[in-house]
């Protein structure tokens, strides 16, 4: 719902101008009001750009506690907050607002950093404790809301987006090591593409004092081990409990003092969310559906059928290659990542329409595939785990050695990204010639505590949920917030997840039917078409299709002097690939989609951020 900025200096006064400029940089995240607070000693300051969703009258931030020893800024939503407000008042707390954000302030008074155990929702927040001279910043369990930080000259800067750090005066530079890791896999959960700029990982908090900073994990997926007691429920009980918990998660996310809409595709997840929302909403829901060019990409008619079933107002949003060409530069600037398809640009365009129609909040089905094992690679894992003789690529030997198997999605990424070895500049490739990106990726995790001794399917889900989910799937948050629209994700409610992680793997995917338990739980809200339909990923038409403006933009951009200044790729090899594209068979061009899209994202980041 907002953009947040924090600055903490060990010794020197912070710059009020830098705080204001960083907050202003995030105005699109919070266009309704921008506020700042700087401590009397001038060594800490908080900035907040507000998107008013709950408590429109008194919910401005930063918020202070009763004796003004604590100050808080928050981004996102805390659900079930009215119950907690009531409990806090019974404990003697005097609340200054009616907003959900204030509960974090008083829960911290009661429980310290353990307050996080009482918070449910999508959030990132920064709290200053004057009495302890302590800055406490936290990010939600799955990493739905972003939180970046850097340290320059003994000053800590934090913000919802990296660009706000740059607006505060931090130099924007490529992180060559992170870029290499991103090319061949995905970013580690605490890294970014920018040198010296880090993420607070999902399920972690940051503590900063005059002695330094520390990052602490407060939550993890904690999948059951193979020797855990058998699950306590049967199939029907699990289905009923999933339906109950999902309905609860959706109901909580309908709470707002502004209209709430819902994204809708032709898939199971968004259809289930819309159907439940329609059941509990006092007004007809508005459903927003992207219509792509091309028979294989457009799900408009299936979505229209779902909207009709649940009585929702259907809003179709057509987008084409020219729309992508006009908006891809802005979308990548907002996203701050390397994307592999224009689906992110589509989300950016979709949220613009949502905003223009007067909506600040939308529900989404994102996250379902991660917790219910919905991706096709899970079925591939099931086949390979029941067979023998599958070979492991040499590049993944370290993963095989550590886990005893290699998740199929990791194999697929390794194959898909291998072409970058051909495109790298020789001097850049030489710097990382001995780098095992896949073992480096594994080394960031608690193998003994979170991976080993689990079903291989759960290990695969864990690694996906710690990499692709926060660093790729959930970057859509920044594309929605670019248009002042807050995304709410019922499937990533941790109460729902903590039920789902108990469900036997055999029930998550039954035969050829992925997400069996969810499909049955959501059956009352689904059309026959959606109930029977297999997984169909949300994907935009590829940029490699010739004879349109997007293809021309790609060709011009990747041949430009700006791209020549990027230190990672061999210019002549990239141009040779571009020359060859028009003569390639369509299937081969489509296979190069993710490679070319990553190159194009690199170009736009280089150009828009003027990276050194």
């Amino acid at each position: 719902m907002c953009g947040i900025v924090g600055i903490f200096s060990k010794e020197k006064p912070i710059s009020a101008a830098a705080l204001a400029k960083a907050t202003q940089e995030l105005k699109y995240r919070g266009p309704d009001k921008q506020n700042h607070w700087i401590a009397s000693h001038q060594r800490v300051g908080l900035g907040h750009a507000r998107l008013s969703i709950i408590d429109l009258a008194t919910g401005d931030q930063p918020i202070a506690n009763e004796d003004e020893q604590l100050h808080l800024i928050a981004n996102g939503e805390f659900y079930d907050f009215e119950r907690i407000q009531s409990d806090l008042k019974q404990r003697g707390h005097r609340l200054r607002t009616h907003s959900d954000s204030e509960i974090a302030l008083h829960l911290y008074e009661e429980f310290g950093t353990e307050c996080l155990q009482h918070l449910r929702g999508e959030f990132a927040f920064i709290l200053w404790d004057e009495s302890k001279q302590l800055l406490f910043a936290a990010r939600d369990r799955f990493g739905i809301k972003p939180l970046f930080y850097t340290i320059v000259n003994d000053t800590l800067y934090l913000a919802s987006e990296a660009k706000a750090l740059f607006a505060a005066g931090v130099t924007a530079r490529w992180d060559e090591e992170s870029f290499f890791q991103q090319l061949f896999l995905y970013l580690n959960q605490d890294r970014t593409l920018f040198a010296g700029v880090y993420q607070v990982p999902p399920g972690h908090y940051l503590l900063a004092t005059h002695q330094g900073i520390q990052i602490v994990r407060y939550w993890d997926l904690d999948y059951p081990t193979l020797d855990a007691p058998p699950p306590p429920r049967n199939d029907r009980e699990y289905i009923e409990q999933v339906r109950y918990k999902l309905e609860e998660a959706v109901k909580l996310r309908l709470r707002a003092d502004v209209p709430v809409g819902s994204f809708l595709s032709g898939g199971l997840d968004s259809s289930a969310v819309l159907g439940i929302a329609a059941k509990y909403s006092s007004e007809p829901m508005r459903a927003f559906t992207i219509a792509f060019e091309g028979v294989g990409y457009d799900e408009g008619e299936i979505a229209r059928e779902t909207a009709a079933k649940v009585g929702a107002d259907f809003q179709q949003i057509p987008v084409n290659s020219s729309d992508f060409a006009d908006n891809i530069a802005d979308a990548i600037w907002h996203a701050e990542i390397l994307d592999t398809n224009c689906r992110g640009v589509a989300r950016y365009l979709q949220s613009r329409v949502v905003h223009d129609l007067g909506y600040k909040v939308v529900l989404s089905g994102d996250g379902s595939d991660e917790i219910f094992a919905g991706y096709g690679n899970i079925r591939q894992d099931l086949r390979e785990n029941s067979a023998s003789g599958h070979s492991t690529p040499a590049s993944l030997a370290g993963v095989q050695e550590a886990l005893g198997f290699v998740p199929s999605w990791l194999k697929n990424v390794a194959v898909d990204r291998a072409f970058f070895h051909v495109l790298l500049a020789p001097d850049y490739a030489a710097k990382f010639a001995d780098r095992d990106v896949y073992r480096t990726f594994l080394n960031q995790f608690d193998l003994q505590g979170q991976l080993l001794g689990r079903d291989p399917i759960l290990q695969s889900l864990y690694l996906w949920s710690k990499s692709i989910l926060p660093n790729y799937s959930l970057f859509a948050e920044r594309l929605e917030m670019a248009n002042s629209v807050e995304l709410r994700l019922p499937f990533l409610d941790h109460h729902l997840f903590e039920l789902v992680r108990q469900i036997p793997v055999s029930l998550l995917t039954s035969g050829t039917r992925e997400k069996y338990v969810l499909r049955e739980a959501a059956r009352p809200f689904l059309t026959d078409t959606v109930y029977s339909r297999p997984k169909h990923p949300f994907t935009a038409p590829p940029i490699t299709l010739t004879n349109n403006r997007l293809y021309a933009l790609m060709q011009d951009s990747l041949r430009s002097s700006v791209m020549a200044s990027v230190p990672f790729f061999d210019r002549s090899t990239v141009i040779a690939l571009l020359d060859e594209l028009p003569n390639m068979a369509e299937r081969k061009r489509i296979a190069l989609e993710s490679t070319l899209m990553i190159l194009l994202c690199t170009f736009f980041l280089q150009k828009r951020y003027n990276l050194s």
Side-chain angles (χ1 to χ4, degrees):
M1 67 172 183
C2 302
I4 58 176
V5 177
I7 304 178
F8 169 52
S9 173
K10 288 184 179 180
E11 302 293 341
K12 299 178 181 178
I14 67 165
S15 167
L19 179 64
K21 192 171 181 181
T23 306
Q24 187 65 22
E25 185 76 353
L26 300 178
K27 185 177 179 180
Y28 51 83
R29 293 184 68 95
D32 296 325
K33 196 166 187 179
Q34 295 82 48
N35 284 332
H36 313 93
W37 168 83
I38 296 178
S40 58
H41 46 69
Q42 297 186 302
R43 290 193 304 276
V44 64
L46 304 175
H48 190 262
R50 186 182 185 206
L51 181 65
S52 303
I53 291 174
I54 289 177
D55 186 15
L56 308 185
T58 69
D60 290 345
Q61 300 183 38
I63 306 172
N65 70 334
E66 297 90 335
D67 61 7
E68 301 201 356
Q69 291 295 293
L70 304 178
H71 287 79
L72 170 89
I73 49 175
N75 171 34
E77 301 293 342
F78 301 126
Y79 301 115
D80 197 21
F81 68 95
E82 287 101 341
R83 178 186 60 80
I84 297 174
Q85 285 175 335
S86 177
D87 181 60
L88 288 168
K89 289 175 182 176
Q90 290 179 8
R91 291 171 177 261
H93 293 273
R94 300 192 308 277
L95 277 63
R96 297 187 174 194
T97 75
H98 301 291
S99 76
D100 61 301
S101 297
E102 190 176 357
I103 65 171
L105 194 69
H106 301 287
L107 286 172
Y108 174 81
E109 286 186 282
E110 290 285 334
F111 305 108
T113 58
E114 286 296 306
C115 68
L116 292 163
Q117 304 304 326
H118 300 265
L119 294 173
R120 180 179 188 177
E122 302 110 357
F123 59 83
F125 67 80
I126 305 170
L127 183 150
W128 173 251
D129 184 334
E130 179 67 26
S131 63
K132 295 181 180 178
Q133 293 289 287
L134 170 73
L135 187 141
F136 168 43
R139 191 175 178 198
D140 65 65
R141 293 165 178 81
F142 288 99
I144 301 166
K145 289 297 178 183
L147 187 58
F148 299 93
Y149 71 95
T150 190
I151 300 173
V152 180
N153 296 329
D154 284 336
T155 298
L156 170 67
Y157 299 83
L158 304 101
S160 297
E161 299 181 16
K163 60 181 66 65
L165 305 177
F166 305 145
V170 175
T171 301
R173 295 180 292 117
W174 286 113
D175 184 323
E176 293 191 359
E177 182 181 11
S178 284
F179 191 89
F180 189 86
Q181 186 78 17
Q182 172 79 12
L183 281 184
F184 293 101
L185 187 53
Y186 286 91
L187 286 172
N188 289 357
Q189 59 179 347
D190 62 344
R191 299 292 290 270
T192 73
L193 293 171
F194 307 113
V197 176
Y198 301 93
Q199 303 182 65
V200 175
H204 285 68
Y205 62 85
L206 176 151
L207 294 176
T209 66
H210 295 287
Q211 285 69 49
I213 74 166
Q214 62 181 128
I215 304 293
V216 181
R217 184 177 69 185
Y218 71 88
W219 187 85
D220 214 329
L221 300 182
D222 292 324
Y223 280 117
T225 56
L226 289 168
D227 58 1
R233 299 180 177 92
N234 60 36
D235 297 16
R236 179 49 51 189
E237 288 172 329
Y238 273 124
I239 289 167
E240 291 173 353
Q241 282 296 303
V242 165
R243 182 182 299 134
Y244 172 80
K245 286 291 186 181
L246 181 57
E247 289 194 26
E248 179 185 67
V250 172
K251 280 191 293 183
L252 287 172
R253 284 160 179 79
L254 288 171
R255 174 68 177 89
D257 296 333
V258 295
V260 177
S262 191
F263 286 159
L264 177 65
S265 69
L268 164 63
D269 310 325
S270 63
S271 299
V273 169
L274 175 65
I276 294 170
K279 175 181 176 180
Y280 290 102
S281 176
S282 59
E283 301 289 336
M285 292 291 296
R286 176 74 71 91
F288 300 94
T289 298
I290 291 177
F292 289 126
E293 293 176 306
V295 175
Y297 300 94
D298 184 19
E299 299 180 289
E301 287 310 308
I302 299 174
R304 187 187 300 274
E305 183 184 2
T306 294
K309 173 182 172 63
V310 302
D313 294 333
F314 182 70
Q315 179 71 50
Q316 185 161 287
I317 304 169
V319 295
N320 57 41
S321 60
S322 292
D323 296 320
F324 291 144
D326 290 338
N327 291 278
I328 188 170
D330 287 340
I332 295 303
W333 181 78
H334 281 288
E336 302 178 346
I337 71 156
L338 304 179
D339 203 352
T340 58
N341 177 260
C342 273
R343 70 183 196 112
V345 189
R347 291 285 288 260
Y348 175 73
L349 293 166
Q350 185 181 30
S351 62
R352 179 188 296 171
V353 173
V354 169
H355 174 269
D356 290 345
L357 291 173
Y359 284 78
K360 291 183 175 182
V361 180
V362 285
L363 306 180
S364 168
D366 292 346
S368 170
D369 288 315
E370 281 73 17
I371 71 168
F372 284 102
Y375 289 109
N377 58 69
I378 296 299
R379 293 195 299 278
Q380 186 178 343
D381 281 332
L382 287 169
R383 289 194 300 270
E384 293 188 4
N385 288 338
S386 62
S388 60
H390 289 278
S391 60
T392 299
S395 62
L396 293 166
V399 177
Q400 177 73 42
E401 179 183 7
L403 300 181
F405 83 109
V406 179
S408 59
W409 71 263
L410 204 52
K411 292 181 184 178
N412 297 338
V413 170
V415 170
D416 186 53
R417 303 291 181 88
F419 190 63
F420 279 116
H421 287 295
V422 177
L423 299 178
L424 292 183
D427 57 340
Y428 178 64
K431 291 182 180 180
F432 302 101
D434 298 327
R435 169 61 59 89
D436 183 343
V437 295
Y438 305 102
R439 190 55 201 258
T440 299
F441 165 74
L442 268 191
N443 288 344
Q444 69 183 305
F445 302 117
D446 177 7
L447 294 186
Q448 200 65 45
Q450 291 292 327
L451 284 160
L452 300 182
R454 272 83 175 173
D455 186 295
I457 298 301
L458 298 181
Q459 294 185 56
S460 179
L461 283 175
Y462 182 94
L463 293 173
W464 179 289
S465 295
K466 291 292 184 175
S467 56
I468 295 179
L469 177 62
N471 286 329
Y472 182 64
S473 301
L474 295 180
F475 84 91
E477 187 271 357
R478 295 195 284 281
L479 300 173
E480 268 81 53
M481 290 300 289
N483 292 292
S484 308
V485 173
E486 177 181 87
L487 195 63
R488 295 183 176 181
L489 308 180
F491 283 110
L492 295 184
D493 183 285
H494 77 279
H495 288 223
L496 172 62
F497 170 77
E498 287 167 359
L499 166 68
V500 175
R501 74 179 172 200
Q502 303 173 24
I503 299 176
V505 169
S506 60
L507 287 183
L508 293 177
T509 297
S510 177
T512 59
R513 300 296 300 277
E514 76 275 356
K515 294 189 285 194
Y516 166 72
V517 171
L518 174 61
R519 193 176 298 273
E520 296 305 316
R523 183 67 182 99
F525 310 103
L526 306 177
T527 64
D528 292 340
T529 303
V530 171
Y531 175 74
S532 304
R533 192 176 186 232
K535 170 69 180 174
H536 190 280
F538 176 71
T539 305
I543 63 174
T544 54
L545 300 181
T546 57
N547 301 320
N548 62 51
R549 285 182 52 216
L550 181 60
Y551 176 84
L553 174 66
M554 177 192 67
Q555 285 277 359
D556 292 344
S557 299
L558 298 187
R559 296 173 186 272
S560 69
S561 59
V562 171
M563 193 63 185
S565 69
V566 172
F568 310 125
F569 303 109
D570 182 75
R571 179 170 170 77
S572 61
T573 306
V574 171
I575 290 177
L577 174 62
L578 296 172
D579 289 342
E580 189 181 349
L581 272 179
N583 302 316
M584 284 183 187
E586 183 175 298
R587 176 179 292 184
K588 189 174 181 181
R589 278 189 278 116
I590 291 175
L592 287 168
E593 163 78 356
S594 62
T595 300
L596 290 166
M597 186 69 184
I598 286 173
L599 289 172
L600 190 56
C601 290
T602 304
F603 163 81
F604 284 120
L605 290 172
Q606 175 80 13
K607 181 178 181 180
R608 294 294 293 269
Y609 285 95
N610 193 27
L611 295 166
S612 57

